[in-house]
Amino acid sequence: MSDALLAVQAAAVTALGAHPVLTAQLTGIYDGPPPRARFPYAAFGDALVSDWSVKDRPGREIRLALTIWDDGESAARLHELMGHGEDALAAIARDLDGWRVASNVFVRSLMARDPAGPWAGLVEQRIRVLAN
């Protein structure tokens, strides 16, 4: 995992943990699928990291994927949580450990459910950073 991804993901966890609705409603925020977690919870999935260097310094484009899991009867609560997750990811700090956020843009969201399982709501953000 690149140091840029580590810095961005740490900032994302901080931003999610600072969001009042998410901290009140989620049971946890995880770096990957937790072995045993109560619903609803959020987990970061695979991230895509690409070169985004400029002439005089290194840069990275990071596609950060956050999945919020919920076992509710309908998608209403998950839909609300996804909106708050999107807001929190948009509020990631600009100055990170060794990196500076140049842009932070919502890419897509997706909500799906296995008929026998929980709801999954994906929020994907594109974050471009340059080395300090």
Side-chain angles (χ1 to χ4, degrees):
M1 192 179 305
S2 78
D3 57 336
L5 176 56
L6 288 172
V8 167
Q9 191 162 319
V13 169
T14 299
L16 291 167
H19 193 284
V21 174
L22 295 177
T23 55
Q25 293 190 26
L26 294 177
T27 62
I29 301 165
Y30 302 95
D31 287 336
R36 288 181 207 97
R38 291 180 304 117
F39 296 106
Y41 66 88
F44 286 98
D46 297 332
L48 177 64
V49 180
S50 304
D51 181 51
W52 197 70
S53 298
V54 294
K55 186 176 180 180
D56 62 343
R57 60 186 156 155
R60 298 290 179 268
E61 177 179 292
I62 299 167
R63 294 283 185 108
L64 195 61
L66 174 71
T67 304
I68 301 175
W69 296 89
D70 189 19
D71 63 349
E73 290 294 317
S74 74
R77 179 172 70 172
L78 178 60
H79 184 70
E80 178 186 347
L81 290 171
M82 288 172 64
H84 291 298
E86 184 181 332
D87 292 344
L89 291 176
I92 288 174
R94 294 286 181 189
D95 292 310
L96 309 177
D97 185 23
W99 300 88
R100 170 106 174 123
V101 174
S103 70
N104 181 349
V105 178
F106 168 80
V107 175
R108 67 180 174 152
S109 65
L110 170 74
M111 189 182 305
R113 182 178 193 179
D114 180 326
W119 291 93
L122 170 74
V123 177
E124 186 176 338
Q125 202 81 1
R126 183 189 73 215
I127 302 163
R128 292 176 173 165
V129 296
L130 292 170
N132 285 337

